[in-house]
Amino acid sequence: MSKKDFPIFDKHPSLVFLDSASTSQKPRSVIDAELQFYNNDYANVHRGIYQLSENATAVFEETRRKAADFIHAEYAHEIIFTKGTTESINLVAQCFGCLQIKSGDEIILSAMEHHANIIPWQQLCERVGSTLKIISLNKSGELDLDAYEKLLTEKTKLVAVIHVSNVLGTINPIKKIIARAHAKNIPVLVDGAQAVGHLAIDVQDLDCDFYVFSAHKMYGPTGVGVLYGKTAHLDVMSPYQTGGNMIRRVTFEKTEFNVLPYKFEAGTPNIAGVIGFGAAIDYINQIGFEKIQSHDNKLLSYATSELEKISGLKIFGTSKNKSGVISFTVDCAHAHDIATILDQLHIAVRAGHHCAMPLMDYLNVPALTRVSFGIYNELSDIDKLILGLDKVRKIFT
Ligand code: ALA
């Protein structure tokens, strides 16, 4: 677990990368796995009966098993490869939502959701005549579980909630949230985009109905993600897209769909991306979540205490149960100005609404500056950030 594993830092030795919540950098092993596949082993999957294609299919399906083990899914067929979290949620909204949610029904989201876990449900509501209900937050940026309990009624047909907030860093008590919904027979989708690279996930222990995430936030390639769904749900859902691979038999009169997981994987998939994703899982497994979490916590607590010393700086999201994400305002400067000055010092942070405009409204801020950590960050990165923020204050006061 070191910067040396990540070629980007050879090319940019002075880079202080504090934007891993947006997308993480890639270790050499992930880049090499994709390169190796294209250079030496490339062929399509599930189609050829020649050796190259059979080998590609074997590696592709091994990765599905690896992904299932990574989140402790019982069956590999419960892992659907998608383009990422956004597509996974759209798939559920379209194929499960349209089946289960009718006019007058309610879907519960939280005030801290990413746009990807708002708009698909909003669109569904517009189509079928259902309504969104929003769990409020307390002052620390945690979900108000009493308010949540009150929202759960006989009208509720789904709860869709983020595991770790990409803005506040809050790690939500997902297991409790799921148990309370299940007590009323309400299924739960968990947006795990910010969780998977930081926390060990066990979908069977959580008992979630759907768990969605992207490879690119856990040191894997862009364009690959996972929809985990319980077999009972996936079985009754209609296909998301239609075309090759998702069929068993086609005539001009009728099509018989393929079994899980292929029913949801129309067309040639992102084979190299999936193979890179497998290498990312191997990379994380080699390090282990104990080390990853202790590294996250060390960075989080050091950065929090150093940032709190800066006058005029306010942190949004102060839960005791937090992941490596810190969003803040500085009274003298707009978030975009802060990010621009930091960029001149080779410090990459994110500034803006963080794909969570309703949360910005809720917090009553136009924008936030956000720093977020990966396994390549060091305490010295925080020192550089603090020096950069000193410079911001000098320029704007
Ligand atoms: N959801 C990503 C972020 O928070 C893009 O930056």
Side-chain angles (χ1 to χ4, degrees):
M1 172 162 111
S2 119
K3 258 187 177 150
K4 289 195 184 65
D5 296 342
F6 293 80
I8 190 100
F9 299 111
D10 295 338
K11 179 78 185 162
H12 305 279
S14 61
L15 174 64
V16 175
F17 190 76
L18 294 171
D19 196 20
S20 297
S22 178
T23 193
S24 60
Q25 295 296 340
K26 313 305 167 203
R28 190 169 284 103
S29 58
V30 168
I31 299 167
D32 285 351
E34 282 209 51
L35 211 57
Q36 150 99 7
F37 177 66
Y38 278 127
N39 278 334
N40 307 327
D41 304 316
Y42 185 74
N44 212 332
V45 290
H46 307 138
R47 288 157 173 81
I49 46 167
Y50 49 90
Q51 199 60 51
L52 263 186
S53 177
E54 281 174 5
N55 292 349
T57 303
V59 183
F60 187 86
E61 290 305 325
E62 267 164 38
T63 308
R64 196 188 304 277
R65 184 65 255 174
K66 217 181 259 184
D69 292 343
F70 185 65
I71 60 166
H72 297 92
E74 189 173 2
Y75 305 109
H77 69 242
E78 292 177 321
I79 301 294
I80 313 295
F81 287 127
T82 63
K83 283 194 297 193
T85 306
T86 300
E87 186 174 50
S88 299
I89 298 174
N90 274 277
L91 191 162
V92 179
Q94 212 158 298
C95 307
F96 183 78
C98 284
L99 200 69
Q100 301 290 343
I101 295 161
K102 310 269 181 278
S103 174
D105 289 346
E106 294 176 354
I107 300 169
I108 297 181
L109 310 179
S110 85
M112 64 169 84
E113 295 312 313
H114 187 282
H115 295 162
N117 199 29
I118 300 173
I119 306 164
W121 306 115
Q122 203 171 53
Q123 291 287 298
L124 176 70
C125 286
E126 281 179 22
R127 275 201 302 277
V128 304
S130 53
T131 314
L132 297 181
K133 293 283 164 185
I134 308 302
I135 313 168
S136 51
L137 311 181
N138 65 20
K139 284 203 170 70
S140 307
E142 296 163 329
L143 298 180
D144 179 340
L145 293 187
D146 292 335
Y148 168 58
E149 191 77 49
K150 287 191 190 115
L151 292 178
L152 289 167
T153 69
E154 70 287 350
K155 287 187 179 170
T156 314
K157 290 296 176 302
L158 182 83
V159 175
V161 72
I162 200 163
H163 193 165
V164 173
S165 166
N166 68 316
V167 177
L168 305 165
T170 316
I171 302 173
N172 288 319
I174 286 300
K175 201 171 166 178
K176 212 180 257 182
I177 289 169
I178 293 166
R180 289 192 189 178
H182 282 182
K184 298 188 170 165
N185 284 323
I186 301 162
V188 181
L189 173 140
V190 181
D191 170 359
Q194 296 295 340
V196 280
H198 299 268
L199 308 172
I201 306 298
D202 186 330
V203 290
Q204 291 185 77
D205 179 54
L206 290 174
D207 198 27
C208 52
D209 297 273
F210 299 102
Y211 197 96
V212 298
F213 60 98
S214 302
H216 76 96
K217 290 189 206 271
M218 48 168 284
Y219 312 105
T222 51
V224 179
V226 165
L227 160 64
Y228 157 81
K230 285 183 176 170
T231 304
H233 295 315
L234 296 175
D235 262 343
V236 295
M237 286 158 57
S238 302
Y240 178 54
Q241 294 183 328
T242 51
N245 200 47
M246 52 76 65
I247 52 87
R248 217 178 215 165
R249 180 167 164 70
V250 181
T251 65
F252 281 113
E253 286 71 39
K254 190 174 163 40
T255 294
E256 199 182 311
F257 302 132
N258 209 339
V259 293
L260 293 175
Y262 312 111
K263 180 172 87 172
F264 293 107
E265 293 180 359
T268 294
N270 182 354
I271 310 166
V274 166
I275 288 167
F277 173 44
I281 295 175
D282 291 341
Y283 183 74
I284 288 181
N285 283 342
Q286 261 166 28
I287 297 167
F289 278 107
E290 208 172 307
K291 262 195 191 162
I292 290 175
Q293 262 187 280
S294 108
H295 183 68
D296 256 358
N297 290 340
K298 188 172 75 177
L299 292 164
L300 179 66
S301 92
Y302 183 61
T304 305
S305 70
E306 291 303 298
L307 286 167
E308 279 171 348
K309 291 179 192 159
I310 296 177
S311 97
L313 186 145
K314 181 174 176 203
I315 293 175
F316 290 76
T318 53
S319 173
K320 283 199 178 70
N321 208 9
K322 244 186 108 161
S323 182
V325 173
I326 309 176
S327 294
F328 57 86
T329 52
V330 181
D331 57 2
C332 61
H334 188 276
H336 287 168
D337 293 325
I338 296 171
T340 305
I341 291 166
L342 292 177
D343 180 45
Q344 287 162 2
L345 302 167
H346 310 286
I347 302 169
V349 301
R350 188 171 173 195
H353 55 66
H354 306 282
C355 303
M357 281 184 186
L359 177 58
M360 299 299 114
D361 291 343
Y362 193 90
L363 300 171
N364 199 21
V365 287
L368 294 170
T369 305
R370 182 187 70 188
V371 297
S372 51
F373 310 124
I375 51 188
Y376 30 70
N377 288 119
E378 296 161 349
L379 292 181
S380 59
D381 291 339
I382 315 286
D383 294 333
K384 288 173 192 156
L385 168 73
I386 300 300
L387 285 176
L389 290 170
D390 278 348
K391 187 170 173 192
V392 170
R393 282 208 68 82
K394 284 192 184 112
I395 291 172
F396 285 98
T397 49

PDB file of all heavy atoms in Angstrom, residues 292-306:
ATOM      1  N   ILE A 292      -6.717  -0.669   5.396  1.00  0.00           N
ATOM      2  CA  ILE A 292      -7.311   0.442   4.640  1.00  0.00           C
ATOM      3  C   ILE A 292      -8.063   1.362   5.593  1.00  0.00           C
ATOM      4  O   ILE A 292      -7.919   2.585   5.557  1.00  0.00           O
ATOM      5  CB  ILE A 292      -8.245  -0.098   3.526  1.00  0.00           C
ATOM      6  CG1 ILE A 292      -7.415  -0.771   2.434  1.00  0.00           C
ATOM      7  CG2 ILE A 292      -9.117   1.018   2.936  1.00  0.00           C
ATOM      8  CD1 ILE A 292      -8.212  -1.453   1.334  1.00  0.00           C
ATOM      9  N   GLN A 293      -8.830   0.776   6.499  1.00  0.00           N
ATOM     10  CA  GLN A 293      -9.628   1.603   7.416  1.00  0.00           C
ATOM     11  C   GLN A 293      -8.758   2.323   8.425  1.00  0.00           C
ATOM     12  O   GLN A 293      -9.012   3.486   8.742  1.00  0.00           O
ATOM     13  CB  GLN A 293     -10.651   0.727   8.139  1.00  0.00           C
ATOM     14  CG  GLN A 293     -12.000   0.828   7.463  1.00  0.00           C
ATOM     15  CD  GLN A 293     -13.075   0.116   8.255  1.00  0.00           C
ATOM     16  OE1 GLN A 293     -13.187  -1.099   8.172  1.00  0.00           O
ATOM     17  NE2 GLN A 293     -13.826   0.858   9.026  1.00  0.00           N
ATOM     18  N   SER A 294      -7.709   1.670   8.864  1.00  0.00           N
ATOM     19  CA  SER A 294      -6.876   2.359   9.855  1.00  0.00           C
ATOM     20  C   SER A 294      -6.126   3.514   9.168  1.00  0.00           C
ATOM     21  O   SER A 294      -5.964   4.589   9.746  1.00  0.00           O
ATOM     22  CB  SER A 294      -5.982   1.374  10.591  1.00  0.00           C
ATOM     23  OG  SER A 294      -4.655   1.501  10.220  1.00  0.00           O
ATOM     24  N   HIS A 295      -5.747   3.323   7.904  1.00  0.00           N
ATOM     25  CA  HIS A 295      -5.097   4.396   7.133  1.00  0.00           C
ATOM     26  C   HIS A 295      -6.076   5.566   6.927  1.00  0.00           C
ATOM     27  O   HIS A 295      -5.724   6.729   7.140  1.00  0.00           O
ATOM     28  CB  HIS A 295      -4.648   3.821   5.793  1.00  0.00           C
ATOM     29  CG  HIS A 295      -3.906   4.783   4.929  1.00  0.00           C
ATOM     30  ND1 HIS A 295      -2.654   5.261   5.247  1.00  0.00           N
ATOM     31  CD2 HIS A 295      -4.243   5.373   3.760  1.00  0.00           C
ATOM     32  CE1 HIS A 295      -2.253   6.102   4.313  1.00  0.00           C
ATOM     33  NE2 HIS A 295      -3.197   6.190   3.394  1.00  0.00           N
ATOM     34  N   ASP A 296      -7.309   5.221   6.534  1.00  0.00           N
ATOM     35  CA  ASP A 296      -8.376   6.234   6.347  1.00  0.00           C
ATOM     36  C   ASP A 296      -8.573   7.048   7.619  1.00  0.00           C
ATOM     37  O   ASP A 296      -8.635   8.273   7.592  1.00  0.00           O
ATOM     38  CB  ASP A 296      -9.719   5.512   6.079  1.00  0.00           C
ATOM     39  CG  ASP A 296     -10.120   5.569   4.617  1.00  0.00           C
ATOM     40  OD1 ASP A 296      -9.398   6.175   3.821  1.00  0.00           O
ATOM     41  OD2 ASP A 296     -11.174   4.984   4.277  1.00  0.00           O
ATOM     42  N   ASN A 297      -8.682   6.316   8.737  1.00  0.00           N
ATOM     43  CA  ASN A 297      -8.956   6.979  10.020  1.00  0.00           C
ATOM     44  C   ASN A 297      -7.818   7.897  10.442  1.00  0.00           C
ATOM     45  O   ASN A 297      -8.050   8.976  10.977  1.00  0.00           O
ATOM     46  CB  ASN A 297      -9.216   5.933  11.127  1.00  0.00           C
ATOM     47  CG  ASN A 297     -10.544   5.234  10.888  1.00  0.00           C
ATOM     48  OD1 ASN A 297     -11.403   5.747  10.166  1.00  0.00           O
ATOM     49  ND2 ASN A 297     -10.714   4.059  11.460  1.00  0.00           N
ATOM     50  N   LYS A 298      -6.590   7.441  10.170  1.00  0.00           N
ATOM     51  CA  LYS A 298      -5.415   8.259  10.527  1.00  0.00           C
ATOM     52  C   LYS A 298      -5.447   9.573   9.739  1.00  0.00           C
ATOM     53  O   LYS A 298      -5.282  10.651  10.297  1.00  0.00           O
ATOM     54  CB  LYS A 298      -4.147   7.452  10.201  1.00  0.00           C
ATOM     55  CG  LYS A 298      -2.870   8.092  10.703  1.00  0.00           C
ATOM     56  CD  LYS A 298      -1.680   7.165  10.528  1.00  0.00           C
ATOM     57  CE  LYS A 298      -1.269   7.137   9.062  1.00  0.00           C
ATOM     58  NZ  LYS A 298      -0.103   6.335   8.751  1.00  0.00           N
ATOM     59  N   LEU A 299      -5.695   9.457   8.432  1.00  0.00           N
ATOM     60  CA  LEU A 299      -5.740  10.657   7.585  1.00  0.00           C
ATOM     61  C   LEU A 299      -6.905  11.562   7.982  1.00  0.00           C
ATOM     62  O   LEU A 299      -6.762  12.786   8.073  1.00  0.00           O
ATOM     63  CB  LEU A 299      -5.888  10.262   6.105  1.00  0.00           C
ATOM     64  CG  LEU A 299      -4.697   9.554   5.464  1.00  0.00           C
ATOM     65  CD1 LEU A 299      -5.105   8.893   4.157  1.00  0.00           C
ATOM     66  CD2 LEU A 299      -3.545  10.513   5.219  1.00  0.00           C
ATOM     67  N   LEU A 300      -8.052  10.931   8.223  1.00  0.00           N
ATOM     68  CA  LEU A 300      -9.255  11.701   8.557  1.00  0.00           C
ATOM     69  C   LEU A 300      -9.057  12.477   9.856  1.00  0.00           C
ATOM     70  O   LEU A 300      -9.366  13.674   9.930  1.00  0.00           O
ATOM     71  CB  LEU A 300     -10.450  10.743   8.687  1.00  0.00           C
ATOM     72  CG  LEU A 300     -11.776  11.377   9.048  1.00  0.00           C
ATOM     73  CD1 LEU A 300     -12.278  12.286   7.928  1.00  0.00           C
ATOM     74  CD2 LEU A 300     -12.832  10.302   9.328  1.00  0.00           C
ATOM     75  N   SER A 301      -8.500  11.814  10.857  1.00  0.00           N
ATOM     76  CA  SER A 301      -8.413  12.512  12.140  1.00  0.00           C
ATOM     77  C   SER A 301      -7.324  13.593  12.082  1.00  0.00           C
ATOM     78  O   SER A 301      -7.523  14.685  12.609  1.00  0.00           O
ATOM     79  CB  SER A 301      -8.259  11.526  13.302  1.00  0.00           C
ATOM     80  OG  SER A 301      -6.924  11.306  13.575  1.00  0.00           O
ATOM     81  N   TYR A 302      -6.219  13.319  11.400  1.00  0.00           N
ATOM     82  CA  TYR A 302      -5.173  14.357  11.275  1.00  0.00           C
ATOM     83  C   TYR A 302      -5.697  15.549  10.471  1.00  0.00           C
ATOM     84  O   TYR A 302      -5.573  16.706  10.886  1.00  0.00           O
ATOM     85  CB  TYR A 302      -3.930  13.753  10.621  1.00  0.00           C
ATOM     86  CG  TYR A 302      -2.774  14.728  10.503  1.00  0.00           C
ATOM     87  CD1 TYR A 302      -2.207  15.294  11.648  1.00  0.00           C
ATOM     88  CD2 TYR A 302      -2.257  15.088   9.257  1.00  0.00           C
ATOM     89  CE1 TYR A 302      -1.142  16.185  11.545  1.00  0.00           C
ATOM     90  CE2 TYR A 302      -1.198  15.981   9.147  1.00  0.00           C
ATOM     91  CZ  TYR A 302      -0.643  16.520  10.297  1.00  0.00           C
ATOM     92  OH  TYR A 302       0.397  17.421  10.201  1.00  0.00           O
ATOM     93  N   ALA A 303      -6.321  15.266   9.337  1.00  0.00           N
ATOM     94  CA  ALA A 303      -6.811  16.360   8.476  1.00  0.00           C
ATOM     95  C   ALA A 303      -7.879  17.177   9.205  1.00  0.00           C
ATOM     96  O   ALA A 303      -7.870  18.415   9.149  1.00  0.00           O
ATOM     97  CB  ALA A 303      -7.374  15.791   7.178  1.00  0.00           C
ATOM     98  N   THR A 304      -8.776  16.484   9.910  1.00  0.00           N
ATOM     99  CA  THR A 304      -9.845  17.202  10.625  1.00  0.00           C
ATOM    100  C   THR A 304      -9.240  18.137  11.655  1.00  0.00           C
ATOM    101  O   THR A 304      -9.588  19.325  11.716  1.00  0.00           O
ATOM    102  CB  THR A 304     -10.816  16.202  11.297  1.00  0.00           C
ATOM    103  OG1 THR A 304     -11.310  15.311  10.290  1.00  0.00           O
ATOM    104  CG2 THR A 304     -11.984  16.907  11.955  1.00  0.00           C
ATOM    105  N   SER A 305      -8.298  17.632  12.430  1.00  0.00           N
ATOM    106  CA  SER A 305      -7.751  18.493  13.494  1.00  0.00           C
ATOM    107  C   SER A 305      -6.952  19.653  12.886  1.00  0.00           C
ATOM    108  O   SER A 305      -7.007  20.765  13.400  1.00  0.00           O
ATOM    109  CB  SER A 305      -6.939  17.690  14.503  1.00  0.00           C
ATOM    110  OG  SER A 305      -5.755  17.256  13.899  1.00  0.00           O
ATOM    111  N   GLU A 306      -6.243  19.425  11.790  1.00  0.00           N
ATOM    112  CA  GLU A 306      -5.489  20.532  11.170  1.00  0.00           C
ATOM    113  C   GLU A 306      -6.429  21.545  10.517  1.00  0.00           C
ATOM    114  O   GLU A 306      -6.215  22.755  10.607  1.00  0.00           O
ATOM    115  CB  GLU A 306      -4.502  19.984  10.125  1.00  0.00           C
ATOM    116  CG  GLU A 306      -3.351  19.200  10.708  1.00  0.00           C
ATOM    117  CD  GLU A 306      -2.535  19.979  11.730  1.00  0.00           C
ATOM    118  OE1 GLU A 306      -1.954  21.011  11.359  1.00  0.00           O
ATOM    119  OE2 GLU A 306      -2.518  19.565  12.913  1.00  0.00           O
TER     120      GLU A 306
END
